[in-house]
Amino acid sequence: MQFELTVPTFEDKVLQRAVAMVLNAVYEQDFRDFSYGFRPRRSAHQALDALREALRSVDGGWVLDVDIRAFFDTLVLSHLRAFLDQRIIDGVLRRTINKWLKAGVMEDGEIHRTDLGTPQGGVISPLLANIYLHEVLDQWFVRDVQPRLKARAFLIRFADDFAIVFEEESDARRVMEVLPQRFSKFGLTIHPEKTRLVRFRKPGLAIPPMRVNQDADPGTFDLLGFTHFWARSRKGNWVVFRKTATKRFDRALDRIQNWCRTNRHLPVPDQQKVLSQKLTGHYRYYGIIGNWRALDRFRFETGRVWFKWLNRRSQRRALNWDQFNAMLKRYPLPCPGRANMAPSTSQSVSPRSRMR
C-alpha cells in the first residue's frame, strides 16, 4: 500500500521548527563529524569533499556502497522513542513528538496509522531520521566496528545515503557481512542488489597474488548524485574525479522535458527565464571541479528539448536550427561558468547528438 505524504498544518510547521531547534541544540553535541545531512552549517558538498579526502588517504581502498531499502518508510517508531528516551526527558517535548509520530496519513479519505516511518513532509522528520541512524549506524561504527578493524576505515553519511571506505579488503568484507544483521535488528533492510563492495584502488598499485587474475581496473560508485572514478589529471597523475550520475542526469532532464511540454505556449522570454533558473540551480549543485563536461552537456540537451517543444506549438511556424540558434542569441541559456572550469565556447545547439 502506498501512502501520501503527511502535510502538517501551518501551526504544526511552526511548532515543529521550534522543537527541531531544541533537539538540534541537544544532539549537535552528540552527532559525529562524518554525519552531514540536514545539520546546521553542513552540506552535501562537504560530505563529498570528506569522501574524496578519505579515498585519497588510502589510495582509493575498498568502498562499501550501501543502499537502505525505503528507510524513511520502515524506520521503527518504538526504537526511535527508545533513542529519544536516552537524551530527551522533558515530558512536554516527548508528548508533542509522540503526537506527530502517531498522526498517520490520509488516503482516499481514511486515516491510516502505522508504527513505521517518520511523518514525511514534516519539518522535524529529517532530524528524527538523523537521530535514528546516529544510534543504529554512527555510534555502532565508532564503538564496535573501528576498534576491531586491521586498518583504517572512514564512514561518510548524508541522511540515509552513506558509504564506508576501507583500507583493507578483509575489513570491508567482514563489515559487509555483519551490516545487514545490525540493520535488521532495528527494522531496516539492506538492498541486496544495490549494495555492493567496490574495489576502488588507485590504478597502478600492486595487486596481491591471489587477485592477479582478476580485473585490475578500479570500479566506480555513486553517492549524492555523483559517480566517483579514477582518471588522470592534466599533469598525468591519477586523481579521483566526480561526474553527474547518469540516473540523476536523466531525471533532471526529464523534469526539463516535462516543464517544456506543459509550458510550451508561454511567451519565449518567460520560458527562457524559468529554464535559466533551472539550469542555474543545476549548476550550483553539480558545479564541482572536473564536472564541467556533464554540465555543458546538460545545457546542450536542455536546448534540444526546448527546440523540440517550441516546434510543437504550431506546425505552420516551425523553427529550423538556424532560427533557433539566432533566437538563443537573444534569449540565451546560461552556460556553466566557474573559475576552475573552461568556459563554454558557443551558445549554438546543433541537431547532431553528442556523446554521453
Side-chain angles (χ1 to χ4, degrees), residues 106-348:
M106 180 173 290
E107 183 186 37
D108 298 329
E110 297 183 5
I111 295 179
H112 299 268
R113 304 188 189 279
T114 177
D115 292 327
L116 301 176
T118 59
Q120 294 191 51
V123 177
I124 201 171
S125 296
L127 177 56
L128 295 178
N130 254 349
I131 293 171
Y132 201 86
L133 281 179
H134 170 73
E135 297 293 340
V136 173
L137 177 62
D138 300 355
Q139 293 289 72
W140 172 73
F141 180 77
V142 173
R143 182 184 62 242
D144 299 331
V145 175
Q146 283 186 318
R148 293 175 169 83
L149 300 179
K150 297 178 181 179
R152 292 175 295 172
F154 305 89
L155 169 63
I156 295 90
R157 182 174 69 82
F158 189 93
D160 62 324
D161 290 330
F162 71 94
I164 310 177
V165 179
F166 297 90
E167 190 170 14
E168 291 289 336
E169 179 185 3
S170 59
D171 288 337
R173 295 197 178 278
R174 288 171 58 199
V175 174
M176 186 177 183
E177 183 178 349
V178 301
L179 190 62
Q181 302 170 25
R182 172 67 180 180
F183 274 31
S184 65
K185 182 179 177 180
F186 296 94
L188 302 177
T189 304
I190 299 296
H191 200 296
E193 297 177 358
K194 296 182 180 180
T195 298
R196 61 197 184 104
L197 182 60
V198 180
R199 181 188 181 276
F200 201 71
R201 301 291 288 173
K202 179 189 292 187
L205 292 180
I207 303 173
M210 67 182 66
R211 303 187 59 83
V212 71
N213 294 324
Q214 298 187 28
D215 189 358
D217 293 332
T220 65
F221 68 95
D222 293 352
L223 187 70
L224 297 177
F226 290 90
T227 297
H228 300 71
F229 62 99
W230 284 101
R232 289 193 183 274
S233 67
R234 293 182 178 179
K235 296 182 179 180
N237 301 319
W238 286 107
V239 178
V240 176
F241 278 89
R242 288 85 52 90
K243 64 180 180 180
T244 309
T246 301
K247 289 183 179 179
R248 291 291 189 93
F249 186 101
D250 292 342
R251 191 186 309 167
L253 194 61
D254 284 343
R255 288 196 292 266
I256 294 288
Q257 180 112 232
N258 292 334
W259 188 90
C260 288
R261 181 182 67 248
T262 304
N263 298 277
R264 63 185 182 274
H265 294 295
L266 290 178
V268 169
D270 293 346
Q271 292 189 46
Q272 184 263 351
K273 180 179 179 180
V274 175
L275 288 175
S276 296
Q277 292 172 346
K278 292 180 180 295
L279 282 172
T280 300
H282 185 87
Y283 298 158
R284 285 177 179 172
Y285 183 77
Y286 292 102
I288 62 175
I289 295 174
N291 196 36
W292 178 83
R293 286 187 177 181
L295 299 183
D296 190 52
R297 179 174 158 256
F298 188 78
R299 187 210 64 83
F300 171 81
E301 295 294 346
T302 297
R304 287 171 59 88
V305 168
W306 195 20
F307 172 81
K308 168 186 172 180
W309 288 106
L310 283 177
N311 273 323
R312 299 290 178 90
R313 298 202 299 182
S314 173
Q315 294 297 327
R316 293 178 299 175
R317 299 170 59 183
L319 292 172
N320 58 37
W321 286 104
D322 290 336
Q323 292 171 329
F324 180 69
N325 285 322
M327 188 199 76
L328 281 179
K329 293 180 180 180
R330 184 175 181 183
Y331 303 106
L333 296 175
C335 296
R338 289 168 60 93
N340 47 31
M341 294 180 182
S344 180
T345 58
S346 175
Q347 280 281 342
S348 298

Side-chain angles (χ1 to χ4, degrees), residues 51-66:
L51 174 61
R52 194 178 192 184
E53 288 304 313
L55 293 169
R56 284 175 174 173
S57 68
V58 296
D59 287 328
W62 295 80
V63 178
L64 184 54
D65 182 14
V66 184

